[in-house]
Amino acid sequence: MKIKSAEFVVSNSDVAKCPKNAIPEYAFIGRSNVGKSSLINMLTDRKSLAKTSGRPGKTQLINHFIINDNWYLVDLPGYGYARVSKSSKQKFQKFITNYFEQRQQLVSAFVLIDIRHKPQPVDLEFMQYLGEGEIPFGIIFTKADKLKPQAIERHVNEYCQELLKFWEELPPHFVTSSSKSIGKDDVLNFIGATNEEIEQLRNSN
Ligand code: GTP
Ligand code: MG
């Protein structure tokens, strides 16, 4: 899929105020600093559409970006960031869980995982939460430029083995690097194919 246009629409902390259009939406979630915002810039070929930072905790709100005028990418704050106060952490958790539980347009979440790290409870628990809510999700491994090809394969295999302890089937998964533009077509083609399936379903009803 080609990206012809990508524009920021709105930021907010209240799912009720998110855009009302009934168009497909894909949301990026994962630990702070894993590379959610950078991935949005890489996929859309825009240097600073989404704000990024070397310090965790940069994205604080639900950010909608409209792509090709017919679907949304959503940048969310990271979880597992210890330096925010307990009360702001709880507030964050509430608006993020509200987003996942109430957002009708959400077609799929993507849980971002730093490819260098072993499976972490916070990520596995978040996937469990999505599964219990019957919210479809894929996994996007980030920062693949930090490992050699053999290590990439080993880390992905180890991660998949861990997932198969809890899941009967593996979710769709992708290896990416925002700094080296790795995995761009894989992610965009997956979204493109999903959008087409939705369109066909709509037309047949
Ligand atoms: P929060 O908004 O704080 O939750 O973080 P985020 O997940 O949006 O991460 P962000 O995209 O802001 O990136 C965090 C840091 O990781 C930045 O310094 C990025 O330059 C770096 N980074 C992101 N993606 C990659 C990547 O693919 N490779 C490398 N080497 N660095 C990356
Ligand atoms: Mg961010």
Side-chain angles (χ1 to χ4, degrees):
M1 181 182 30
K2 277 226 169 326
I3 303 292
K4 289 174 236 145
S5 62
E7 282 163 47
F8 169 73
V9 181
V10 66
S11 296
N12 67 75
S13 61
D14 180 356
V15 63
K17 293 189 185 142
C18 288
K20 301 280 187 284
N21 335 27
I23 58 175
E25 177 161 318
Y26 301 85
F28 293 152
I29 185 76
R31 305 185 119 199
S32 278
N33 221 40
V34 69
K36 301 174 293 296
S37 305
S38 303
L39 185 69
I40 289 188
N41 294 336
M42 187 272 267
L43 293 175
T44 56
D45 251 330
R46 307 293 194 277
K47 272 206 176 69
S48 45
L49 184 63
K51 293 196 181 102
T52 66
S53 166
R55 294 177 62 196
K58 178 70 177 173
T59 309
Q60 299 272 342
L61 296 165
I62 304 168
N63 297 285
H64 275 77
F65 300 92
I66 191 158
I67 315 297
N68 292 351
D69 289 328
N70 65 5
W71 55 280
Y72 286 121
L73 271 180
V74 178
D75 193 14
L76 295 169
Y79 53 67
Y81 173 45
R83 267 184 283 175
V84 295
S85 68
K86 208 167 171 195
S87 68
S88 83
K89 205 167 171 182
Q90 278 168 350
K91 240 197 271 166
F92 157 75
Q93 279 165 352
K94 192 67 199 146
F95 83 71
I96 293 303
T97 52
N98 284 344
Y99 170 82
F100 283 105
E101 285 158 25
Q102 295 173 26
R103 188 68 176 157
Q104 303 266 337
Q105 292 90 331
L106 181 67
V107 172
S108 178
F110 289 100
V111 179
L112 272 64
I113 302 289
D114 187 322
I115 196 157
R116 295 171 294 179
H117 301 156
K118 294 221 172 316
Q120 306 281 317
V122 69
D123 298 312
L124 298 172
E125 282 160 17
F126 198 81
M127 291 178 211
Q128 201 70 35
Y129 160 78
L130 292 172
E132 280 161 14
E134 296 183 12
I135 298 159
F137 71 91
I139 295 178
I140 296 183
F141 293 100
T142 64
K143 309 196 184 183
D145 56 286
K146 299 270 195 186
L147 293 181
K148 297 207 165 73
Q150 272 186 348
I152 291 177
E153 203 185 319
R154 185 162 45 84
H155 282 229
V156 170
N157 284 340
E158 281 172 11
Y159 210 96
C160 289
Q161 288 311 314
E162 184 66 25
L163 289 174
L164 286 171
K165 292 182 186 165
F166 312 98
W167 298 86
E168 276 179 31
E169 260 179 67
L170 290 174
H173 51 282
F174 307 89
V175 171
T176 69
S177 159
S178 294
S179 50
K180 295 266 161 73
S181 263
I182 296 169
K184 181 177 174 180
D185 289 344
D186 294 339
V187 176
L188 288 180
N189 290 342
F190 175 83
I191 293 175
T194 309
N195 286 344
E196 270 172 35
E197 275 173 37
I198 293 169
E199 186 68 27
Q200 277 167 7
L201 269 175
R202 273 192 191 153
N203 291 340
S204 67
N205 284 334

